[in-house]
Structure formats: C-alpha cells, structure tokens
C-alpha cells in the first residue's frame, strides 16, 4: 500500500511553488516498490540478507534522495534559479537512475526464473548474437568488466531494431544515456553481491542467469514486436547505433549529459 504523504507536504508545496508546480511536485513523489517475492526467494543465488539490505536500504535511499532533489529542483524552477537547477542535475541523475534501474532489476528476477527465453525474443537473440549462449557470454563479459560500480544491460535499439549489450557506470539510466530500451539489467554495485560472493564478481554474474525472469524480459520486448513477422522483417535492418541521448525518460532526467554507458 502506498504510504501517505508526510503531514504538511501540500502546504509546503503551495507556499514555496506556484500552484501548478506544487501539484506537479506532489504527483512526482516516488515510492519504494514492493518486491514480487520474499527476500529469501532467490536463494541460494542471492541471499535473503543481501536482498533485504539492497531493497529496503539502498533502493529506499535512492527514492528518498530523488524526492528531495526533485522538490529542490521544482523550487528552483519556480524561482528561476538556473544555477541551482544545474547544480541539482548530478543528484537527479544518480538517484533517479538508481530508482529506475532497481525497479527494473527486481522484476527481471524470479525464484522461478532461469532457463532460456522463448518466441520472438529468442529469435531476436539468435539473429543479433548468433545464439543464446553467445548473448550470455557477451553480456556477462561486459558486466564483469564494469570498472568500479555500474550495470550490465540487454537493451533494444529502436532505430536499428536490434538487441544490444551495454555497460553503464554508477546509476546512469540506460535509456536516458543511450536511447536503448532496457530489457534486462544486472547490478554490479558491490552491495548487490559482496556479502555472499565477496570480490568474485564473475561467480555472482554466473549465478544471476539462474534467476532471470525471461517472461518479464519478454514483456518489455513485446511492445517493439507489432506482429509475428516482425523479427524476420528486422533482418535487413542496419546494426549501427549512433549513441545519441534519449530525452523521454522523465522530465527531470532528459538533460544532454555526457555518455557514461558503452554500447557493444
């Protein structure tokens, strides 16, 4: 159940913002999504302790900090304070990306996951990577190779109509920095695995494949496959990607920012 807004939030909005911006700020309040499974449901691949800390502490922090940054942004916007708006971009990108990425991540996993994708998604994987095993190897290598903290991604390129593997630093959101539609993400921040796998990131990435929710990945892919012949029709599509920045993630994350994601 969505928790109520803190007491006084409406009055604070109306006194610091114009009426329109006050309503907008209230509507943009983000909340921590519930997990679709128990904390211990992904064991032995991810421990209950990691899941509890990852979700209730780390993701919750991104949500809280995003709400704070957005409120400050709207206040600065109402005052025409461009300096503060610019200064807040890093916080919006980091915490907004953290919220977006983790919201996808939880649904990408399932205690009934693993195995292989089916249908059009598998056909597209074979077309773009040669085989499912090739995709696993390429995405695993890119994810393991992330320097410091970040994410490995399987994304869909709407321009070339092809699947792409990408790696993003920190919490940079895939769509907001590359234009790729996020289908499957692997979190390689140490808080996602260190308590169980220590510094052996490859073992964690290998284990993730046992709990990938391919039904969820397929649901994310389906809107870009309008009919049963689409995958075959896409064979003639070009495979290049120009890496331009997408501008349709959210109103607060559509700034033209330096690209810290590598599309492979």
């Amino acid at each position: 159940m969505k928790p109520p807004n803190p007491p006084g939030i409406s009055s604070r909005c109306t006194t610091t913002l114009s009426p329109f911006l006050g309503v907008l700020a209230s509507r943009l309040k983000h909340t921590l999504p519930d997990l679709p499974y128990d904390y211990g449901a992904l064991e032995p691949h991810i421990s209950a302790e990691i899941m509890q800390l990852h979700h209730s502490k780390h993701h919750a922090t991104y949500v809280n900090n995003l709400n704070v940054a957005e409120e400050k942004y709207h206040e600065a916007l109402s005052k025409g304070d461009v300096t503060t708006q610019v200064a807040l971009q890093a916080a919006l990108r980091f915490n907004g990306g953290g919220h977006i990425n983790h919201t996808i991540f939880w649904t990408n996993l399932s205690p009934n996951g693993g195995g292989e994708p089916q249908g059009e998604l598998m056909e597209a994987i074979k077309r773009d990577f040669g085989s499912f095993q090739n995709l696993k190897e390429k995405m695993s290598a890119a994810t393991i190779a992330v320097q410091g903290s970040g994410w490995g991604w399987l994304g869909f390129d709407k321009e070339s109509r092809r699947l792409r593997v990408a790696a993003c630093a920190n919490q940079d959101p895939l769509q907001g920095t590359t234009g790729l539609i996020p289908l499957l993400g692997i979190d390689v921040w140490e808080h996602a695995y260190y308590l169980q796998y220590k510094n052996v990131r490859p073992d964690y990435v290998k284990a993730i494949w046992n709990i990938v929710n391919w039904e969820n990945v397929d649901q994310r892919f389906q809107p870009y496959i309008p009919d049963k012949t689409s995958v075959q029709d896409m064979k003639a599509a070009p495979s290049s990607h120009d890496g331009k920045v997408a501008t349709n993630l959210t109103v607060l994350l559509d700034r033209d920012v330096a690209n810290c994601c590598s599309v492979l």
Side-chain angles (χ1 to χ4, degrees):
M1 180 179 294
K2 182 179 178 180
N5 288 332
I9 186 66
S10 296
S11 60
R12 286 202 298 271
C13 287
T14 55
T15 56
T16 58
L17 306 176
S18 68
F20 172 75
L21 288 175
V23 172
L24 182 60
S26 178
R27 288 179 178 175
L28 285 176
K29 282 293 180 182
H30 304 281
T31 58
L32 181 68
D34 293 332
L35 293 184
Y37 39 76
D38 294 334
Y39 285 137
L42 302 182
E43 290 185 337
H45 309 293
I46 303 180
S47 71
E49 182 182 16
I50 288 177
M51 290 298 298
Q52 190 272 331
L53 291 171
H54 197 173
H55 175 257
S56 68
K57 301 299 183 181
H58 291 281
H59 189 176
T61 298
Y62 296 127
V63 172
N64 293 336
N65 289 341
L66 176 59
N67 285 328
V68 170
E70 285 188 347
E71 187 171 341
K72 291 180 178 179
Y73 182 90
H74 284 298
E75 183 176 355
L77 191 65
S78 71
K79 295 178 179 179
D81 184 353
V82 177
T83 298
T84 298
Q85 292 174 49
V86 172
L88 286 167
Q89 290 304 304
L92 291 169
R93 178 175 178 173
F94 181 75
N95 294 293
H99 181 36
I100 292 167
N101 294 341
H102 284 88
T103 300
I104 295 170
F105 183 60
W106 307 133
T107 62
N108 275 169
L109 305 179
S110 169
N112 300 315
E116 298 184 354
Q118 304 296 322
E120 294 102 334
L121 178 58
M122 178 60 103
E123 292 181 37
I125 289 172
K126 290 179 178 178
R127 180 202 65 218
D128 294 335
F129 300 100
S131 68
F132 176 61
Q133 184 61 33
N134 286 347
L135 165 64
K136 287 178 63 176
E137 292 175 359
K138 184 171 185 176
M139 187 171 173
S140 294
T143 304
I144 292 167
V146 170
Q147 294 184 348
S149 302
W151 293 74
W153 289 100
L154 173 65
F156 180 73
D157 186 335
K158 292 191 293 184
E159 294 186 5
S160 68
R161 307 292 295 170
R162 291 183 178 274
L163 299 174
R164 308 295 295 269
V165 165
C168 293
N170 301 313
Q171 294 295 355
D172 286 355
L174 182 69
Q175 187 175 357
T177 52
T178 68
L180 298 180
I181 304 299
L183 303 179
L184 171 64
I186 301 178
D187 185 353
V188 285
W189 279 67
E190 285 192 343
H191 62 237
Y193 63 89
Y194 196 85
L195 288 177
Q196 183 172 356
Y197 293 93
K198 307 307 181 195
N199 64 336
V200 190
R201 183 184 285 180
D203 285 356
Y204 160 71
V205 172
K206 181 179 180 181
I208 281 286
W209 294 103
N210 295 315
I211 48 176
V212 171
N213 183 353
W214 289 111
E215 290 185 6
N216 178 262
V217 179
D218 183 67
Q219 288 171 2
R220 296 178 182 279
F221 180 61
Q222 283 299 316
Y224 305 98
I225 305 297
D227 56 57
K228 293 293 184 180
T229 62
S230 296
V231 172
Q232 297 300 322
D233 293 343
M234 286 192 290
K235 287 184 176 180
S239 59
S240 62
H241 175 65
D242 63 7
K244 74 178 181 182
V245 176
T247 59
N248 58 347
L249 252 184
T250 75
V251 68
L252 296 175
L253 288 176
D254 65 357
R255 306 300 173 186
D256 190 5
V257 293
N259 192 338
C260 290
C261 294
S262 300
V263 180
L264 308 178

